[in-house]
Amino acid sequence: MRAPLTPLKAFIHDAANLGKGHSSGSNDDPRLSLWLTVAQAAERLAASHPDLRDEYADHLRRSILPERRERPSQIEGDGRAPTDRVSQLAERLRVEAEDMELAGCFELARTTVSSVCQMLARAPLTNRLLATAHLGRVNRQLGDLNSAVDCYSTVTEEGQAANDGPVAAHGFIGLGNVAHARGNRPAQKSLFEQALGLAARGSTVELSAHQGLMIVANAQNLLADALLHGWRAHDLAPPDSELQLAIVGNLAHTAFRAGFYVAALAGNQHVIQKSRVAFHRLPSIGTAIRSAAHLGFRDEVCSLQAVGDEEIGHGAPPFEVARLYLWYAEAWSVLGEGNTVTELLAKSVKIADSYGFHELRIRAETFQLQRTSVPNKSVRPLTQSFDPNSSAIVDGIGRLESLAAV
């Protein structure tokens, strides 16, 4: 793993990205100065002697880290909070790191969570592994997949050795997400199934496993299975949360693949309007723009691409950017804009090659071959064989279409 940047260098990097596309720059965002202070505090805590840590931690709670109700997304399966002070402080710092991630400040998040992992070297195993899973997620979002695998593998191996299946499940979720980015679909399905088997019932890990299996079912053209897994994940998520919005985006993608373009557009527009998180909005923009193209809504395609370009300008994760360019290309192919398609595919492939996103590279090449072999015809999404009267399909698609009125 590349060594985390110092807090100041991480701040400079993320401030530059956060300011892209804004004439006023990022200095107007008060969160950045807070997050720099948090990253510096985490670094100091990691370097402090344990006997001196409590005094500094008390100072942090008074001046920098007031109490918050939120907990980080990686927690113990039964929701139990840690009891030792260092683990409690580590969770509080990870809550701030998740705010950094949601804003696209991944270098500050990596610096902060790396320090948290050092703090927890002698903490209870469960709390250490949960922080390690968090670090894996940050690495994955930065495109550092090898480092993410190292983190996630540590969680699965040590969690299972300690007979702590719900914690090991966090690692299997992460490995499944890496397999998705690398295009290893058999591994992806197996890893999410292992996570589901180990996850505590009703937990966020169970939710993530259903979400992952929905993506696998989509790839296998199993529409009913995808909708069942997706709505189960949706109903496990907190109402109106960013997590629930992300799942709506996944469900809308499912509808798109099956040719339910009205439902797909409704679901994705719901996400675009309500979500404030780039890596939830970007996939929805990509699917909405293709849905609009298939419905012949050229003006909607143009406006959605403008929204997507603005998100990219704010420093979006590279995988999401490469995939969005590919989806732009698919939309403009439907509308018969060949030169635009070629330019967008080149952008997508360049990023995919830089980060080793092999599945995206293959998808772009396959898409290009389809265009070449069938000139002057748009390439349509892969349709699925299904029973349109299935209750899972009728109910699932109907719930999506109803979001247009929300």
Side-chain angles (χ1 to χ4, degrees):
M1 177 178 117
R2 169 176 64 75
L5 300 178
T6 65
L8 183 57
K9 287 184 177 179
F11 167 83
I12 292 170
H13 178 279
D14 287 340
N17 280 334
L18 199 60
K20 286 179 180 176
H22 296 288
S23 58
S24 61
S26 61
N27 294 329
D28 295 335
D29 193 327
R31 298 174 300 172
L32 281 166
S33 57
L34 169 64
W35 291 338
L36 172 60
T37 303
V38 169
Q40 290 172 326
E43 182 182 56
R44 178 173 173 181
L45 284 164
S48 297
H49 190 279
D51 294 340
L52 303 175
R53 191 174 285 154
D54 283 350
E55 182 179 350
Y56 182 54
D58 289 339
H59 164 71
L60 288 179
R61 291 188 180 95
R62 290 192 304 270
S63 60
I64 298 172
L65 295 173
E67 184 176 352
R68 288 175 60 174
R69 287 187 174 185
E70 300 97 317
R71 296 185 66 196
S73 54
Q74 277 104 347
I75 60 175
E76 198 160 357
D78 59 8
R80 203 180 337 161
T83 55
D84 63 294
R85 294 191 69 185
V86 69
S87 297
Q88 291 170 349
L89 179 59
E91 276 207 359
R92 180 65 184 82
L93 289 166
R94 292 205 293 121
V95 168
E96 294 293 332
E98 291 199 337
D99 286 348
M100 299 172 195
E101 291 174 78
L102 292 175
C105 294
F106 297 109
E107 292 292 354
L108 277 166
R110 172 145 68 172
T111 297
T112 302
V113 180
S114 294
S115 294
V116 168
C117 289
Q118 293 176 53
M119 284 171 50
L120 293 171
R122 298 182 181 179
L125 177 67
T126 292
N127 301 317
R128 178 169 61 80
L129 292 181
L130 292 171
T132 302
H134 190 164
L135 181 60
R137 186 180 71 201
V138 177
N139 286 334
R140 178 173 57 80
Q141 291 175 132
L142 279 165
D144 190 351
L145 301 185
N146 290 336
S147 296
V149 167
D150 288 344
C151 292
Y152 293 139
S153 296
T154 297
V155 176
T156 59
E157 292 164 9
E158 295 192 24
Q160 288 182 301
N163 292 319
D164 194 338
V167 168
H170 284 272
F172 282 114
I173 291 293
L175 290 172
N177 287 327
V178 171
H180 172 59
R182 286 178 165 166
N184 188 343
R185 194 161 293 129
Q188 183 183 353
K189 182 177 182 181
S190 173
L191 289 161
F192 286 134
E193 286 176 341
Q194 289 180 78
L196 185 60
L198 293 170
R201 298 304 91 178
S203 67
T204 57
V205 181
E206 182 192 355
L207 182 159
S208 296
H210 281 295
Q211 196 172 10
L213 289 169
M214 173 180 59
I215 293 169
V216 173
N218 268 330
Q220 295 177 324
N221 303 321
L222 301 173
L223 176 63
D225 287 353
L227 290 170
L228 287 169
H229 281 298
W231 284 114
R232 172 60 177 159
H234 174 277
D235 294 340
L236 283 169
D240 300 319
S241 64
E242 285 289 350
L243 178 57
Q244 192 174 70
L245 288 171
I247 296 165
V248 171
N250 292 148
L251 285 160
H253 180 67
T254 298
F256 169 80
R257 285 178 55 83
F260 292 100
Y261 301 125
V262 172
L265 187 58
N268 282 298
Q269 285 177 328
H270 179 80
V271 177
I272 295 165
Q273 291 165 7
K274 292 184 174 292
S275 176
R276 295 295 176 265
V277 179
F279 54 85
H280 296 166
R281 288 166 57 81
L282 284 167
S284 283
I285 292 167
T287 305
I289 200 171
R290 292 177 298 160
S291 301
H294 280 285
L295 292 168
F297 299 162
R298 181 179 287 267
D299 290 345
E300 184 75 9
V301 170
C302 291
S303 64
L304 285 166
Q305 184 167 337
V307 174
D309 288 343
E310 184 177 1
E311 292 287 353
I312 291 171
H314 296 168
F319 179 82
E320 300 295 345
V321 175
R323 185 169 61 176
L324 186 59
Y325 282 138
L326 174 59
W327 286 347
Y328 281 176
E330 292 181 8
W332 286 111
S333 178
V334 170
L335 296 174
E337 297 287 345
N339 290 337
T340 302
V341 172
T342 300
E343 292 172 6
L344 291 165
L345 280 176
K347 288 183 177 181
S348 179
V349 168
K350 183 177 180 180
I351 298 171
D353 286 345
S354 297
Y355 288 92
F357 301 146
H358 306 305
E359 183 188 21
L360 279 177
R361 175 77 150 118
I362 293 169
R363 283 164 59 183
E365 290 175 346
T366 301
F367 176 68
Q368 180 61 29
L369 284 171
Q370 288 177 314
R371 292 180 62 235
T372 306
S373 62
V374 189
N376 302 320
K377 291 187 178 180
S378 65
V379 179
R380 302 181 65 83
L382 182 63
T383 55
Q384 310 185 40
S385 298
F386 54 82
D387 175 6
N389 297 315
S390 160
S391 60
I393 294 172
V394 172
D395 293 345
I397 296 298
R399 287 183 73 176
L400 271 177
E401 290 180 345
S402 69
L403 291 174
V406 176

